[in-house]
Coordinates of all heavy atoms in Angstrom, one line a residue:
D1 N 0.7 -3.1 -5.5 CA 0.4 -1.7 -4.9 C -0.1 -1.9 -3.5 O -1.3 -2.3 -3.4 CB -0.4 -0.9 -5.8 CG 0.2 -0.6 -7.1 OD1 1.4 -0.1 -7.1 OD2 -0.4 -0.5 -8.2
E2 N 0.5 -1.4 -2.5 CA 0.0 -1.4 -1.1 C -0.6 -0.2 -0.7 O -0.2 1.0 -1.1 CB 1.2 -1.8 -0.2 CG 2.1 -3.1 -0.5 CD 3.4 -2.9 -0.5 OE1 3.9 -1.8 -0.9 OE2 4.2 -3.8 -0.2
S3 N -1.4 -0.3 0.3 CA -2.0 0.9 0.9 C -2.4 0.6 2.2 O -2.7 -0.6 2.6 CB -3.2 1.5 -0.2 OG -4.2 0.4 -0.2
G4 N -2.8 1.6 3.1 CA -3.3 1.4 4.3 C -2.5 1.6 5.5 O -3.0 1.5 6.7
G5 N -1.2 1.9 5.5 CA -0.4 2.1 6.5 C -0.8 3.4 7.2 O -1.6 4.2 6.7
G6 N -0.1 3.7 8.3 CA -0.3 4.9 9.0 C 0.3 4.9 10.5 O 1.0 3.9 10.8
W7 N -0.2 5.7 11.3 CA 0.3 6.0 12.6 C -1.0 5.7 13.6 O -2.0 6.3 13.3 CB 0.8 7.2 12.9 CG 1.2 7.6 14.3 CD1 2.4 7.3 14.8 CD2 0.4 8.0 15.3 NE1 2.5 7.6 16.2 CE2 1.2 8.2 16.5 CE3 -1.0 8.4 15.5 CZ2 0.7 8.6 17.7 CZ3 -1.4 8.9 16.8 CH2 -0.6 9.0 17.7
V8 N -0.9 4.8 14.6 CA -1.9 4.5 15.5 C -1.2 4.3 16.9 O -0.1 4.1 17.1 CB -2.7 3.2 15.1 CG1 -3.4 3.4 13.8 CG2 -1.8 2.0 15.1
Q9 N -2.2 4.3 17.8 CA -1.7 4.0 19.2 C -1.9 2.6 19.5 O -2.6 1.8 18.8 CB -2.6 4.8 20.3 CG -2.4 6.3 20.2 CD -3.1 7.0 21.2 OE1 -4.1 6.7 21.7 NE2 -2.4 8.2 21.7
A10 N -1.2 2.1 20.4 CA -1.2 0.7 20.7 C -2.6 0.3 21.1 O -3.3 1.0 21.7 CB -0.3 0.5 22.0
G11 N -3.0 -0.9 20.6 CA -4.2 -1.5 20.8 C -5.2 -1.1 19.7 O -6.3 -1.8 19.6
A12 N -4.8 -0.3 18.8 CA -5.7 0.1 17.7 C -5.6 -0.9 16.5 O -4.8 -1.8 16.6 CB -5.4 1.6 17.2
S13 N -6.4 -0.6 15.5 CA -6.4 -1.5 14.4 C -5.9 -0.7 13.1 O -6.2 0.5 13.1 CB -7.8 -2.2 14.1 OG -8.1 -2.8 15.3
L14 N -5.3 -1.5 12.1 CA -5.1 -1.0 10.8 C -5.5 -2.1 9.8 O -5.4 -3.2 10.0 CB -3.7 -0.5 10.7 CG -3.2 0.9 11.1 CD1 -1.8 1.0 11.0 CD2 -4.0 1.9 10.3
F15 N -5.7 -1.6 8.5 CA -6.2 -2.5 7.5 C -5.2 -2.3 6.3 O -5.2 -1.0 5.8 CB -7.6 -2.2 7.1 CG -8.1 -3.2 6.0 CD1 -8.4 -4.4 6.3 CD2 -8.2 -2.7 4.7 CE1 -8.9 -5.2 5.3 CE2 -8.6 -3.5 3.6 CZ -9.1 -4.8 3.9
L16 N -4.4 -3.2 5.9 CA -3.6 -3.0 4.7 C -4.2 -3.7 3.5 O -4.7 -4.8 3.7 CB -2.2 -3.6 5.0 CG -1.4 -3.0 6.2 CD1 -0.1 -3.6 6.3 CD2 -1.3 -1.5 6.2
S17 N -3.9 -3.2 2.3 CA -4.4 -3.9 1.2 C -3.2 -3.9 0.0 O -2.4 -3.0 -0.1 CB -5.6 -3.1 0.5 OG -6.2 -3.7 -0.6
C18 N -3.3 -4.9 -0.8 CA -2.3 -5.1 -1.8 C -3.0 -5.6 -3.0 O -3.5 -6.7 -3.0 CB -1.2 -6.1 -1.3 SG 0.0 -6.6 -2.6
A19 N -2.9 -4.7 -4.1 CA -3.5 -5.0 -5.3 C -2.4 -5.3 -6.4 O -1.4 -4.7 -6.6 CB -4.3 -3.9 -5.8
A20 N -2.6 -6.6 -7.1 CA -1.7 -7.2 -7.9 C -2.2 -6.8 -9.4 O -3.4 -7.1 -9.6 CB -1.5 -8.6 -7.9
S21 N -1.4 -6.3 -10.2 CA -1.8 -5.9 -11.5 C -0.7 -6.5 -12.5 O 0.3 -6.7 -12.1 CB -2.0 -4.4 -11.8 OG -0.7 -3.8 -11.5
G22 N -1.1 -6.8 -13.7 CA -0.2 -7.3 -14.8 C -0.3 -8.8 -15.1 O 0.0 -9.1 -16.1
R23 N -1.0 -9.5 -14.2 CA -1.3 -10.8 -14.5 C -2.2 -11.3 -13.4 O -2.4 -10.8 -12.3 CB -0.2 -11.8 -14.6 CG 0.6 -11.8 -13.3 CD 1.7 -13.0 -13.2 NE 1.0 -14.3 -13.2 CZ 1.6 -15.4 -13.2 NH1 3.0 -15.5 -13.4 NH2 0.9 -16.5 -13.2
T24 N -3.0 -12.5 -13.8 CA -3.8 -13.2 -12.7 C -3.1 -14.5 -12.3 O -2.6 -15.3 -13.2 CB -5.1 -13.6 -13.4 OG1 -5.7 -12.4 -13.9 CG2 -6.0 -14.3 -12.4
F25 N -3.1 -14.6 -11.0 CA -2.4 -15.8 -10.5 C -3.4 -17.0 -10.3 O -4.2 -16.9 -9.3 CB -1.7 -15.4 -9.1 CG -0.7 -14.5 -9.2 CD1 -0.9 -13.1 -9.1 CD2 0.8 -14.8 -9.3 CE1 0.1 -12.0 -9.2 CE2 1.7 -13.9 -9.4 CZ 1.4 -12.5 -9.2
N26 N -3.3 -17.8 -11.2 CA -4.2 -19.0 -11.0 C -3.8 -20.0 -9.8 O -4.6 -20.6 -9.3 CB -4.4 -19.8 -12.3 CG -5.0 -18.9 -13.4 OD1 -6.0 -18.2 -13.2 ND2 -4.3 -18.9 -14.6
S27 N -2.5 -20.0 -9.7 CA -1.8 -20.7 -8.5 C -0.8 -19.7 -8.1 O -0.2 -19.1 -8.8 CB -1.2 -22.0 -8.9 OG -2.3 -22.9 -9.5
G28 N -0.8 -19.7 -6.8 CA 0.3 -18.8 -6.2 C 0.4 -18.7 -4.7 O -0.4 -19.3 -4.1
T29 N 1.2 -17.8 -4.3 CA 1.3 -17.4 -3.0 C 1.4 -15.9 -2.8 O 2.0 -15.2 -3.7 CB 2.5 -18.0 -2.3 OG1 2.5 -19.5 -2.4 CG2 2.7 -17.6 -0.9
M30 N 0.7 -15.2 -1.9 CA 0.8 -13.9 -1.7 C 0.8 -13.7 -0.2 O 0.2 -14.5 0.7 CB -0.4 -13.1 -2.1 CG -0.4 -13.0 -3.6 SD -1.8 -11.8 -4.2 CE -1.0 -10.3 -3.9
G31 N 1.9 -12.8 0.2 CA 2.1 -12.7 1.7 C 2.5 -11.3 2.0 O 2.7 -10.4 1.2
W32 N 2.6 -11.1 3.3 CA 3.1 -9.8 4.0 C 4.3 -10.1 4.8 O 4.3 -11.1 5.5 CB 1.9 -9.3 4.8 CG 0.8 -8.8 4.2 CD1 -0.4 -9.4 3.9 CD2 0.6 -7.5 3.5 NE1 -1.2 -8.7 3.2 CE2 -0.7 -7.5 2.9 CE3 1.5 -6.3 3.4 CZ2 -1.2 -6.3 2.3 CZ3 1.0 -5.2 2.8 CH2 -0.3 -5.2 2.3
F33 N 5.3 -9.3 4.6 CA 6.5 -9.3 5.4 C 6.5 -7.8 6.2 O 5.9 -7.0 5.6 CB 7.7 -9.5 4.4 CG 7.7 -11.0 4.0 CD1 6.9 -11.4 3.1 CD2 8.6 -11.9 4.6 CE1 6.9 -12.8 2.6 CE2 8.6 -13.2 4.2 CZ 7.8 -13.7 3.2
R34 N 7.6 -7.7 6.9 CA 7.7 -6.4 7.6 C 9.2 -6.3 7.9 O 10.0 -7.2 8.2 CB 7.0 -6.3 8.8 CG 7.2 -7.1 10.0 CD 6.2 -6.9 11.1 NE 6.4 -7.8 12.3 CZ 5.5 -7.9 13.4 NH1 4.4 -7.2 13.3 NH2 5.8 -8.5 14.3
Q35 N 9.7 -5.0 8.0 CA 11.1 -4.8 8.3 C 11.1 -3.5 9.2 O 10.7 -2.4 8.7 CB 11.9 -4.6 7.0 CG 13.4 -4.6 7.3 CD 14.2 -4.7 6.0 OE1 13.7 -4.6 4.9 NE2 15.5 -5.0 6.2
A36 N 11.7 -3.7 10.5 CA 11.8 -2.6 11.4 C 13.3 -2.2 11.1 O 14.2 -2.8 10.7 CB 11.6 -3.1 12.8
P37 N 13.6 -0.9 11.6 CA 14.9 -0.4 11.4 C 15.8 -1.2 12.1 O 15.8 -1.5 13.2 CB 14.7 1.0 12.1 CG 13.4 1.4 11.9 CD 12.5 0.1 12.1
G38 N 17.0 -1.4 11.2 CA 18.0 -2.2 11.9 C 17.8 -3.7 12.0 O 18.7 -4.4 12.5
K39 N 16.7 -4.1 11.5 CA 16.4 -5.6 11.5 C 16.2 -6.2 10.3 O 16.0 -5.5 9.2 CB 15.1 -5.8 12.4 CG 15.2 -5.4 13.8 CD 14.1 -5.9 14.7 CE 14.2 -5.5 16.2 NZ 13.1 -5.9 16.9
E40 N 16.2 -7.5 10.0 CA 15.9 -8.2 8.9 C 14.5 -8.1 8.7 O 13.7 -8.2 9.4 CB 16.6 -9.7 8.9 CG 18.1 -9.7 8.9 CD 18.6 -11.1 8.9 OE1 17.7 -12.0 8.8 OE2 19.8 -11.4 8.8
R41 N 14.2 -8.4 7.2 CA 12.8 -8.6 6.9 C 12.3 -9.8 7.4 O 12.8 -10.9 7.3 CB 12.7 -8.5 5.3 CG 11.3 -8.4 4.9 CD 11.3 -8.0 3.4 NE 12.0 -6.6 3.1 CZ 11.9 -6.1 1.8 NH1 11.1 -6.7 1.0 NH2 12.5 -5.0 1.7
E42 N 10.9 -9.8 8.0 CA 10.5 -11.0 8.6 C 9.1 -11.3 8.1 O 8.4 -10.4 7.8 CB 10.4 -10.9 10.2 CG 9.5 -9.8 10.7 CD 9.4 -9.8 12.2 OE1 10.3 -10.5 12.9 OE2 8.5 -9.0 12.7
F43 N 8.9 -12.5 8.2 CA 7.4 -13.1 7.7 C 6.3 -12.6 8.6 O 6.5 -12.8 9.9 CB 7.5 -14.6 7.5 CG 6.3 -15.3 7.3 CD1 5.6 -15.2 6.0 CD2 5.6 -15.9 8.2 CE1 4.5 -15.8 5.7 CE2 4.4 -16.6 8.0 CZ 3.8 -16.4 6.6
V44 N 5.3 -12.2 8.0 CA 4.0 -11.9 8.8 C 2.9 -12.9 8.6 O 2.4 -13.5 9.5 CB 3.6 -10.5 8.5 CG1 2.2 -10.2 9.3 CG2 4.6 -9.5 8.9
A45 N 2.5 -13.0 7.2 CA 1.4 -13.9 7.0 C 1.5 -14.3 5.5 O 2.1 -13.5 4.7 CB 0.1 -13.3 7.3
A46 N 0.8 -15.3 5.2 CA 0.7 -15.7 3.8 C -0.5 -16.6 3.5 O -1.1 -17.3 4.3 CB 2.0 -16.4 3.3
V47 N -1.1 -16.4 2.2 CA -2.1 -17.3 1.7 C -1.7 -17.8 0.4 O -1.0 -17.3 -0.3 CB -3.3 -16.3 1.5 CG1 -3.1 -15.2 0.6 CG2 -4.5 -17.3 1.1
R48 N -2.0 -19.1 0.3 CA -1.6 -20.0 -0.9 C -2.7 -20.6 -1.5 O -3.7 -21.0 -0.9 CB -0.6 -21.0 -0.4 CG 0.8 -20.5 0.3 CD 1.5 -21.6 0.7 NE 1.1 -22.0 2.0 CZ 1.7 -23.2 2.7 NH1 2.7 -23.8 2.0 NH2 1.3 -23.5 3.8

């Protein structure tokens, strides 16, 4: 479940959050991707 998106002006900040439910990941990877209109989904960041 993601939250925190919105509309801002250039130079501003936003904070996104993603809560995982259903299991606990003892080992794993979680990441953020993004997709702009007409473009492929691209990698942003990940933690392992």
Side-chain angles (χ1 to χ4, degrees):
D1 292 318
E2 301 128 333
S3 61
W7 178 91
V8 295
Q9 292 187 327
S13 299
L14 277 176
F15 181 81
L16 304 183
S17 182
C18 172
S21 60
R23 63 166 289 176
T24 299
F25 294 88
N26 295 316
S27 295
T29 303
M30 290 187 75
W32 290 95
F33 290 77
R34 66 188 182 187
Q35 188 166 17
K39 295 187 177 182
E40 293 187 353
R41 192 168 297 189
E42 65 174 9
F43 172 73
V44 174
V47 58
R48 298 176 282 177

